[in-house]
Amino acid sequence: SVLQVPGYWPSTAKVCGFWFPPAEWERDVMKPAQTDELFGDAARTTDKRPSVIAIVLSTVCDMGLLGTLEDVVDILHVLRASLKKAEFRGIVVAPSGSVLGRAFVIFSESRKRKFQAQDETADDNPEPHNTDEILTLIESVSFQKLFHRCAGVIHHGGSGSTGAALRAGIPQVVIPFFFDQFFFAEKVAWLGVASLLKSSDISRENKNRAMALDEALENLGKPELNKSAKEVQRNIERETESAVFQAVEYFENKTETRVLIKTA
């Protein structure tokens, strides 16, 4: 349902669908308390849809594709303003030692200094720099456990992030940078479940980047995008049940070798 075999592919190529491991295979990841708190009062809109957006851009930040550390800090400030305008909150997923994680600490410290300057009674020793009323940083979380609780996700179009978002049935904002990211970005846009941004749309040199982010976040709430995302989710769920067995059966037939014994 996501990838149809093009006519120019060889006849030996077969697409079986997504392979998702069972939930019990997921490694045990501690979920920070502030994440539950963020979701606790997240349904603030009139139609009671969740208002939390997952932001998964750590890899491209580490590769320097969003610029310097200072550039990433600046992007966080612009993103925060757009989230606030759209009445969303954001969960930034990034290790603390990554570029995005370090940028978040600087971003959070600057927000707290600004708050303290406005309020002389503010705590001189605030909580760890991982959250404010709009953005929260979490270092490690299973996408399978996070995405289904979100109203949408912003990511770079990697196969893992794309697959997890499609499986969760949520709309996406995709900002591809290289290799297969452009392929998956084009695919989810064609499926009608995502808005696309170019990397230049959010660069520091772009004076209209706030407008581009505003529009992309507004699109996440559109009924047609959400409807398409749920439809793709249902199709993927049906395919996932048989995808692995289809692949194994195909290899067995081609190699005349028994690979897996199916059990009831």
Side-chain angles (χ1 to χ4, degrees), residues 48-201:
K48 300 301 181 183
R49 63 182 171 85
S51 62
V52 176
I53 305 299
I55 301 157
V56 187
L57 294 169
S58 183
T59 301
V60 293
C61 291
D62 283 344
M63 297 180 70
L65 298 176
L66 278 176
T68 64
L69 180 64
E70 184 181 342
D71 292 329
V72 178
V73 174
D74 188 63
I75 289 171
L76 285 173
H77 282 287
V78 177
L79 179 58
R80 183 191 185 280
S82 293
L83 287 166
K84 184 175 182 180
K85 184 176 180 179
E87 296 189 342
F88 283 128
R89 294 180 180 183
I91 291 181
V92 178
V93 182
S96 59
S98 67
V99 172
L100 183 54
R102 288 186 286 125
F104 193 95
V105 171
I106 297 172
F107 155 81
S108 185
E109 287 175 341
S110 68
R111 292 285 310 166
K112 286 182 169 70
R113 283 196 300 270
K114 180 179 179 181
F115 176 74
Q116 289 169 352
Q118 295 171 347
D119 183 359
E120 295 181 356
T121 65
D123 188 358
D124 290 331
N125 297 294
E127 293 297 315
H129 306 294
N130 60 356
T131 186
D132 75 357
E133 69 274 20
I134 300 296
L135 281 176
T136 293
L137 174 72
I138 54 177
E139 294 191 34
S140 182
V141 67
S142 162
F143 288 170
Q144 181 177 344
K145 296 176 182 177
L146 174 64
F147 284 2
H148 78 280
R149 302 179 69 183
C150 296
V153 57
I154 301 173
H155 64 94
H156 47 61
S159 59
S161 303
T162 302
L166 290 172
R167 187 187 191 188
I170 57 176
Q172 310 170 40
V173 175
V174 186
I175 313 171
F177 288 83
F178 59 85
F179 302 144
D180 63 331
Q181 295 176 0
F182 293 100
F183 173 82
F184 285 110
E186 180 182 331
K187 185 60 61 175
V188 291
W190 180 79
L191 289 169
V193 301
S195 298
L196 304 188
L197 290 177
K198 296 180 292 185
S199 57
S200 59
D201 289 334

